[in-house]
Structures are given as structure tokens and as C-alpha cells.
Amino acid sequence: MNNTDIAVFSLNSGKDFGEQVCVHLHLALSAHEEREFEDGEHKIRPLVNVRGKDVFVIQSLHGDAFQSVNDKLCRMLFFLGGLRDASAARVTAVMPYLCYARKDRRTKPRDPLTTRYVAELFEAMGIDHAVVLDVHNPAAFHNAWRIPAEHLEAKKLFVEHFAPLAAAREVVVVSPDAGGVKRVEEFRLALADKLGRDVHNAFIEKYRSAGVVTGHACVGDVAGKTAIILDDLISSGTTIARAAEACVARGAVSVYAGATHGVFSSKANEALSNPAIAGIAITNSVPPSLRTLDRIQNKLSVLDVSGLVASAIERIHSGGSLVELLGSS
């Protein structure tokens, strides 16, 4: 790739992932400065000339032990605005994990639509393009943005990971709730194509209100099969654990889980240590803290999405087809 007309940045908290992406692009991360002030405010600026350049900023917007999700969101917005003021020709925000994407509809009176509000914040900074990975509701994501917004999928990575496991077994792919049925169906079709045979599907009944989750029915036949539960993210782990227990109770011989984003709240270590779960696969869109996940380290697999993100950046920069990339993902 010609590095004279492109600049790729990653904020300090996501530098490791940004460097992995740049390895695929055969580029070095562009230099920037993040300066902290005594009162908690901060400044962030590029240390290279971006005038007339095609600029990409890579940052997953999740909270961790050092910065809250709001800290990362604020820094990202300020940096993007600064790049626009520095006369970048085009600015693309690449967010493998997009914060606040789960609140995409009103389930109670006067609920906020934070999916749309976050989109408006980025648009207000004058960015030209947004790229995300496996948001909670792709349709709501696309409807929230008024600029080009690309939705990448880690589906191919999960197919490649689970196909060897499923090769000699009868498999059922399970959605942990009715809302994830479409995602699971697309994965089921891709896995069936890879295996060259039919793969079954099922979903678990789930209702959530005021943080309380209910529902235990399993729709679909899991008896005597290996179950693969697929979701967009794992936070507390209780949804995955409930779904795994429901599958085992209905005769599944083993249960595995996959989710693109391993957000992992403080409860996840205990919930996911449930013996009903034989293995868990996530991507590195959110780097897992193995220190806080000591009880599940032996059954946790981390799949690398940096190559997928790099391919999207390369195609956006060169005018290549993202449709072809998404079709193969």
C-alpha cells in the first residue's frame, strides 16, 4: 500500500490491536500525543502532517481498568475533530467494538436511543466514514447513520474455528434469544456450506426487564447433538450460561459458545465457569483480561480479526469492493 497518502492512527488504549492491523497493511502506525492534565481533562493530537491524507483511526470503545467507555468515546471524538481541523482529506472511524449499540429501540416509555445519539456525535465531528464489527442490531446501526457506515462480520472466523469441532458430530447452532435468530441462521448456513451437510438450529426463550432475565424454553431439537451458542457479545455471561444449561437439560452432549466481543463484566468469570460450557470463542475486538478470567482461561479461544479490519481499510482507501469482502466473511 502507498503510505504517502494514508495515515493510520490508534489511540494508546488500543495500540496493540492497531499495530496488528498495520502489520497486515504493511504500514507503521502514525504518531500522536495524548496528554493528561491534573484536573482530569486531556489533549490528543496527531504528530504527523495529515493535510490531504486519507486518515483512519482504530479504536474499540469499551471500558477497561484504566479508562471508562465514556473516556474512550470522548478521546476518540476529540481526536477525529482535530484531524478534520488539521485538513485531512477524509477521516474514517474504525471501531471494532462500538459502544452503546445495544440500546437501539425504546422498550420502555421515554427510553433513549443511544445508538442514534452516538452516530450523531461522530457525524458532528465531521467524519466521512464509519466501520464497525458485529453490532447488536445491524439494521438499527445502518438506520442510525447518515454517512457511509460499514458493518463487518466475524462469521467466517467462527466457521473456521468451529468446523473442525463439528466435522464428525451432529451439530445444532443455538441463538440465546429470539433477537439473535437471524445472526445464528447466517452462521448456520455458512457452517453447513463449509461442512457440506445440514446443520440444525434452535433458540432459547429469553425475556429481560429491569435487568431481570426470565424464560427457559428451548425451541428446536438439541438432544444428542453438539450445541454451538452464538451471540454478538458476552458481558456478564449469564445469558450464555442459561442457554448452555437449557441445552444440556434437553440432551445436548456438549455445548460451546462463540461471541464476537468478549466484554466480560466482573460476573463473567463465575458465570462462564459453568461446567455446562465446554469452550468459548471470542475475537480480539476487545482484549480479554486473562488475570480477571482465571477460571475460564483453559476453555477460552481468541480469534484474530485484525486481518479483516485491515482488509476493510485497504478496500476503503483504494476504492475496492466491501461487498466482496463481506460476502467472504
Side-chain angles (χ1 to χ4, degrees):
M1 179 180 289
N2 183 354
N3 60 6
T4 61
D5 58 352
I6 184 173
V8 180
F9 294 90
S10 185
L11 305 192
N12 288 343
S13 61
K15 184 179 178 181
D16 289 346
F17 184 80
E19 289 178 338
Q20 291 177 54
V21 172
C22 282
V23 167
H24 294 283
L25 294 172
H26 305 291
L27 295 174
L29 274 178
S30 295
H32 76 287
E33 175 192 35
E34 294 184 41
R35 183 179 174 189
E36 312 292 331
F37 297 103
E38 292 82 356
D39 60 358
E41 294 185 2
H42 48 79
K43 181 182 78 171
I44 179 169
R45 68 186 180 105
L47 294 177
V48 296
N49 183 6
V50 297
R51 180 180 295 274
K53 290 197 173 186
D54 193 8
V55 178
F56 296 82
V57 182
I58 306 168
Q59 180 66 37
S60 276
L61 299 174
H62 62 281
D64 57 31
F66 305 100
Q67 293 178 351
S68 72
V69 58
N70 296 328
D71 289 333
K72 292 185 179 181
L73 175 61
C74 189
R75 288 169 187 259
M76 180 75 158
L77 290 168
F78 287 175
F79 190 43
L80 292 167
L83 291 166
R84 172 57 69 202
D85 289 346
S87 299
R90 182 172 64 174
V91 179
T92 300
V94 182
M95 299 163 284
Y97 178 73
L98 177 64
C99 61
Y100 294 110
R102 282 176 280 182
K103 193 57 185 173
D104 53 43
R105 61 191 178 95
R106 291 191 174 97
T107 55
K108 294 185 181 298
R110 297 173 293 281
D111 262 357
L113 297 176
T114 49
T115 294
R116 176 163 59 84
Y117 306 156
V118 167
E120 289 173 345
L121 287 171
F122 280 98
E123 290 164 1
M125 291 300 101
I127 70 169
D128 302 281
H129 216 138
V131 180
V132 302
L133 173 69
D134 280 336
V135 296
H136 185 65
N137 184 336
F141 163 76
H142 285 298
N143 287 334
W145 294 77
R146 297 295 175 264
I147 61 172
E150 312 297 343
H151 180 254
L152 307 180
E153 298 177 357
K155 177 176 59 185
K156 183 179 179 181
L157 290 175
F158 286 108
V159 168
E160 295 297 325
H161 175 76
F162 284 115
L165 175 75
R169 311 181 188 183
E170 192 172 7
V171 177
V172 56
V173 180
V174 181
S175 174
D177 54 44
V181 167
K182 184 175 181 180
R183 177 185 303 106
V184 164
E185 176 63 9
E186 291 176 353
F187 172 70
R188 183 189 72 81
L189 292 173
L191 182 60
D193 184 64
K194 176 72 175 180
L195 297 175
R197 57 180 169 83
D198 288 340
V199 173
H200 306 276
N201 63 349
F203 73 88
I204 308 298
E205 177 190 35
K206 175 185 170 184
Y207 305 101
R208 185 191 298 274
S209 181
V212 178
V213 177
T214 58
H216 299 88
C218 177
V219 179
D221 182 17
V222 300
K225 301 178 178 65
T226 292
I228 301 172
I229 303 168
L230 193 72
D231 211 347
D232 61 311
L233 65 86
I234 300 174
S235 181
S236 68
T238 54
T239 293
I240 294 294
R242 286 179 64 260
E245 289 175 346
C247 290
V248 170
R250 288 158 181 80
V253 295
S254 57
V255 181
Y256 294 82
T260 302
H261 311 294
V263 179
F264 295 139
S265 71
S266 59
K267 298 179 180 179
N269 197 33
E270 179 178 358
L272 297 173
S273 65
N274 191 313
I277 306 171
I280 305 163
I282 59 171
T283 78
N284 58 345
S285 65
V286 175
S289 173
L290 298 182
R291 179 177 58 82
T292 59
L293 297 171
D294 58 290
R295 296 176 63 180
I296 63 171
Q297 282 189 46
N298 63 337
K299 57 181 176 182
L300 187 65
S301 300
V302 182
L303 314 181
D304 183 14
V305 292
S306 63
L308 174 63
V309 172
S311 293
I313 290 174
E314 186 172 22
R315 288 170 187 247
I316 291 171
H317 176 63
S318 64
S321 172
L322 277 173
V323 173
E324 292 179 359
L325 175 65
L326 297 175
S328 63
S329 65

